[in-house]
Amino acid sequence: MTTGELRECLIEDTEKRVTEDAVRDLSALRVYPSGTLLIALYGATIGRLGVLGVEACTNQACCAMAHPTDINVSFAFYCLMAAREHLVVIASGGGQPNINQDKIRSLRLPHPSLHEQSAIAAFLDRETGKIDALVAEQERLMALLKEKRQAVISQAVTKGLSPNAKMKPSGVEWLGEVPNHWEVRTISSLTTKITNGYVGPTRDILTDEGVRYLQSLHIKNNKITFGVPYYVS
């Protein structure tokens, strides 16, 4: 089990396996039971969660909380999800911030009775399930709209606006047929210059002001946006 597989859900399979011999010979490899709560300790995945639905071991970036005695696992899962922003704040380190087992052990959680914990967890299962279903439906709708958008663009630029126009083969695979009165030409015959820009280290040419220097990071969502402008003299 690795942190890349912690996606706030039940984990019933893993991408990697270790041998029984490795588990026997390496003391750091512990097999955790189904129901173990896992939390990521390092880097961008800090606070990501998962619950084992099968027996598994983990790498060093996962903290495993197994064999609960006085807490409902689902309730603890939602508590840690609510605390994720706090966990990111208390993370330490430079290039790769991290939390450790001591910080997890000292984390204070609300602790109602087990009966109330179970009721809260069941409520959150229902409500977040409804929200997840709505999100999935919206994502499907977005995917369909993106497909429709692409189809509208393709139809207009390759077939024109007249549904009754007579067509002819373009001789270009991706274009297919085009209206009889259209030409098909190369881009080089339609513009005076096609080139790329400066190739080389920019640390020697960038300045605080001057001529804007366009980088690929400025091209987003079919627009040029100088959110972080760069200049050359």
Side-chain angles (χ1 to χ4, degrees), residues 16-28:
K16 299 178 180 179
R17 301 283 193 279
V18 294
T19 65
E20 296 285 352
D21 289 343
V23 172
R24 185 183 63 248
D25 297 340
L26 300 174
S27 60

Side-chain angles (χ1 to χ4, degrees), residues 17 20 24 33 43 52-53 67 153 167 181 193 198 200-201 216 221 223 228 230 232-233:
R17 301 283 193 279
E20 296 285 352
R24 185 183 63 248
L52 287 180
H67 309 294
I153 292 171
M167 310 296 285
H181 61 287
K193 190 172 186 178
Y198 174 73
S216 58
N221 301 320
K223 295 180 181 179
V228 182
Y230 292 95
V232 294
S233 65

Side-chain angles (χ1 to χ4, degrees), residues 104-176:
I104 295 295
R105 288 190 182 98
S106 63
L107 186 68
R108 297 171 69 87
L109 301 181
H111 188 254
S113 69
L114 280 172
H115 175 75
E116 194 170 358
Q117 289 178 38
S118 298
I120 292 170
F123 166 80
L124 289 173
D125 285 344
R126 288 193 306 272
E127 295 305 308
T128 58
K130 293 175 186 177
I131 294 169
D132 289 344
L134 288 172
V135 169
E137 183 60 33
Q138 289 299 312
E139 288 175 345
R140 285 193 293 271
L141 178 60
M142 289 296 294
L144 290 172
L145 288 173
K146 286 180 180 178
E147 288 180 14
K148 181 175 177 59
R149 180 179 185 274
Q150 186 62 35
V152 168
I153 292 171
S154 297
Q155 175 70 20
V157 301
T158 63
K159 311 302 179 193
L161 301 180
S162 173
N164 301 317
K166 292 184 178 180
M167 310 296 285
K168 67 181 180 182
S170 68
V172 179
E173 183 178 356
W174 75 270
L175 280 176

Side-chain angles (χ1 to χ4, degrees), residues 163-229:
N164 301 317
K166 292 184 178 180
M167 310 296 285
K168 67 181 180 182
S170 68
V172 179
E173 183 178 356
W174 75 270
L175 280 176
E177 291 188 330
V178 297
N180 270 344
H181 61 287
W182 284 20
E183 293 181 280
V184 175
R185 293 170 54 181
T186 62
I187 291 181
S188 60
S189 71
L190 300 170
T191 185
T192 57
K193 190 172 186 178
I194 298 176
T195 184
N196 64 321
Y198 174 73
V199 178
T202 57
R203 62 180 177 273
D204 299 327
I205 66 168
L206 293 181
T207 57
D208 292 333
E209 58 184 16
V211 181
R212 287 189 184 272
Y213 184 77
L214 177 67
Q215 294 190 327
S216 58
L217 62 89
H218 296 126
I219 303 173
K220 295 179 181 177
N221 301 320
N222 298 323
K223 295 180 181 179
I224 296 175
T225 305
F226 287 100
V228 182

Side-chain angles (χ1 to χ4, degrees), residues 7-23:
R7 291 294 179 266
E8 287 69 47
C9 61
L10 185 70
I11 301 151
E12 299 185 301
D13 197 9
T14 60
E15 294 179 2
K16 299 178 180 179
R17 301 283 193 279
V18 294
T19 65
E20 296 285 352
D21 289 343
V23 172

